[in-house]
Amino acid sequence: LTVSVLYWDGGRKMSDEKEYWEVTQELVQPLIPRPQLTEKLLKKPPFRFMHDIFTNLTAQTGFGEGLLHGDDLDSSSFSDKAAKAACLKRIVAYVSLINKRDVVADPKQMVTGKEPEKSNAFLQDMAHAVAAPRERWYDALELLKEKEMGD
């Protein structure tokens, strides 16, 4: 998979010609058939939308396979903001480990729909992580499992 290096970096637009959500469309939409990354959804991405992007990336590429289990694979199974934030926190940690840098988005803010630019930066970071060598995917998953066993 080839992914462009153009992205929105924590509030600094990397291209004067594109809005942050347009960059997300360019990076992520070619990787998945659905959901459609519309301007409206990207300007205030709801939890289900971000979750569906992740699960569709998993289905299309194998990215993140084994990160979520059981009911966590179904976005409708999350009943409260804390559970949604915990799910996103796990995905954010995974993406951060693969990309070897912190994701600028805060899962608690992502769940409330605040800071859409940072949520889009996270989605763009996820696209970059998909393009990383698969060994990094597996290593990140193992590191997360080890950390959780130690907690």
Side-chain angles (χ1 to χ4, degrees):
L1 296 170
T2 304
V3 178
S4 167
V5 295
L6 180 69
Y7 62 98
W8 181 270
D9 187 18
R12 296 184 309 273
K13 195 180 338 181
M14 301 303 289
S15 167
D16 291 332
E17 299 145 16
K18 301 204 182 296
E19 293 294 326
Y20 65 91
W21 57 269
E22 292 174 309
V23 177
T24 305
Q25 284 177 325
E26 287 182 8
L27 289 174
V28 181
Q29 194 67 77
L31 303 174
I32 54 175
R34 61 181 211 281
Q36 288 298 305
L37 278 64
T38 64
E39 176 181 355
K40 180 181 177 183
L41 288 170
L42 289 170
K43 282 189 168 181
K44 191 170 181 179
F47 169 78
R48 180 179 178 170
F49 177 66
M50 290 185 289
H51 185 279
D52 288 352
I53 290 170
F54 176 78
T55 56
N56 277 284
L57 281 170
T58 302
Q60 293 297 312
T61 67
F63 174 79
E65 199 166 284
L67 185 65
L68 302 180
H69 303 281
D71 287 346
D72 289 349
L73 293 167
D74 179 5
S75 60
S76 65
S77 70
F78 294 90
S79 58
D80 60 48
K81 289 181 182 178
K84 292 174 182 179
C87 177
L88 288 175
K89 182 178 178 181
R90 186 167 170 77
I91 299 169
V92 164
Y94 180 66
V95 169
S96 292
L97 286 169
I98 292 169
N99 289 341
K100 299 181 180 183
R101 67 182 180 91
D102 289 338
V103 170
V104 298
D106 175 3
K108 290 178 184 173
Q109 297 297 321
M110 292 165 65
V111 169
T112 62
K114 297 178 181 173
E115 302 179 343
E117 295 91 350
K118 290 183 179 180
S119 293
N120 274 261
F122 162 67
L123 295 172
Q124 294 165 23
D125 284 344
M126 199 163 24
H128 289 289
V130 168
R134 286 183 181 252
E135 296 78 36
R136 289 190 11 213
W137 299 1
Y138 306 135
D139 291 347
L141 188 58
E142 287 306 311
L143 281 170
L144 281 176
K145 286 180 181 178
E146 288 172 14
K147 183 179 185 278
E148 289 170 355
M149 289 174 63
D151 286 346

